[in-house]
Amino acid sequence: MPFKFIVCFIAGIGAGLGTGFAGMSAAAVISPMLIAFLGFPAYEAVGIALASDVLASAVSAYTYGKNKNLDVKNGLVMMTAVLLFTLVGSWVSSLVPNGTMGSFSVFMTMLLGVKFIVKPVMATKEGMASKDPQKRFLQAALCGTLIGFICGFIGAGGGMMMLLILTSVLGYELKTAVGTSVFIMAFTAFTGAAGHFAIAGPPDMASLLFCVFSTLLWARVAARFANQADAKTLNRATGVILLLLGLSIFIVSLFQ
């Protein structure tokens, strides 16, 4: 039990920081830790990770929303498209031979980390407000469709792709991009966790509670810091966190 708590707490630190700073899915951190060090079946590990993501993302979204760094309207549009086309992508994936895409989210995490350090996102809310609302609405729907399909097909990378597209394609400033991303992830994680537990039954409750507590705690810490930081500091902190998490996940995957 002490070893289980330590593994879950450390996994929750990485997942919480990734969620609070960058809207990253907890599944990218918690799943490999539970599989590598506690011998969990992959399906159960993903279910626990998604359940940990629900409260962490919801609390992070509340913190970003309270600081006016959340786009609910377009977030709902993107979320609807993501949920629908995740199912489509999953169905298409079942029809084709297995690929070698397991490392996709790991390398994407590291590349995004480097991007935020080398080329910070310096968009402003004023710049966001100057864009045509109808165009942003359409872009949100199209981008959500693309993200959902890729997530369903590959099975990973949703949070990272949302952050990349919100900052690079839709022109969001970083805080609003992360706030909108965690808002969407709270709903997608709940849907995913419910599906996993409905199919596989209840998970190991001790591990679930340990992971939920640690992820929630550190997501809250990260979200509060992120909303108080200036743009340059937040970009660098986000970049360092993503780079370290990507490297850590890669190292952990070597033990599987």
Side-chain angles (χ1 to χ4, degrees):
M1 185 66 74
F3 180 68
K4 181 184 288 187
F5 173 78
I6 291 170
V7 171
C8 292
F9 190 76
I10 293 173
I13 293 174
L17 292 178
T19 298
F21 273 114
M24 181 178 175
S25 171
V29 181
I30 292 177
S31 299
M33 292 282 288
L34 295 183
I35 295 168
F37 297 113
L38 297 178
F40 273 76
Y43 199 80
E44 184 179 3
V46 172
I48 291 174
L50 288 170
S52 303
D53 215 1
V54 176
L55 286 178
S57 292
V59 166
S60 297
Y62 171 77
T63 303
Y64 279 92
K66 189 169 69 172
N67 288 276
K68 304 188 186 307
N69 293 315
L70 172 59
D71 183 358
V72 175
K73 178 183 175 182
N74 291 304
L76 287 172
V77 174
M78 184 176 283
M79 179 184 69
T80 302
V82 167
L83 290 174
L84 286 174
F85 280 87
T86 295
L87 297 176
V88 175
S90 181
W91 175 73
V92 173
S93 178
S94 70
L95 303 178
V96 300
N98 290 332
T100 56
M101 302 295 290
S103 59
F104 174 79
S105 61
V106 176
F107 290 111
M108 189 170 184
T109 300
M110 290 191 286
L111 287 174
L112 265 181
V114 173
K115 176 194 177 298
F116 284 125
I117 295 172
V118 175
K119 190 178 179 182
V121 176
M122 299 305 291
T124 62
K125 289 183 179 178
E126 291 75 16
M128 287 175 57
S130 67
K131 294 202 172 183
D132 182 12
Q134 290 186 336
K135 181 179 179 182
R136 191 184 295 282
F137 182 92
L138 181 60
Q139 285 179 324
L142 292 174
C143 291
T145 299
L146 177 63
I147 292 168
F149 182 83
I150 292 174
C151 289
F153 190 80
I154 296 172
M160 292 297 91
M161 280 189 291
M162 268 191 278
L163 184 61
L164 178 63
I165 286 175
L166 286 169
T167 54
S168 300
V169 179
L170 274 69
Y172 279 51
E173 56 98 21
L174 186 55
K175 291 180 184 179
T176 306
V178 176
T180 305
S181 179
V182 290
F183 172 74
I184 296 170
M185 290 301 297
F187 292 93
T188 56
F190 177 80
T191 304
H196 273 69
F197 297 155
I199 293 170
D204 179 79
M205 292 307 296
S207 298
L208 175 63
L209 291 174
F210 291 157
C211 287
V212 167
F213 168 75
S214 182
T215 306
L216 178 62
L217 171 65
W218 290 99
R220 174 66 171 158
V221 170
R224 291 192 65 171
F225 174 83
N227 277 278
Q228 300 303 318
D230 61 73
K232 281 190 176 180
T233 301
L234 181 57
N235 272 274
R236 288 172 182 161
T238 303
V240 170
I241 292 292
L242 290 176
L243 189 57
L244 290 176
L245 285 176
L247 289 171
S248 300
I249 297 165
F250 176 72
I251 293 169
V252 167
S253 67
L254 299 178
F255 291 89
Q256 296 180 23

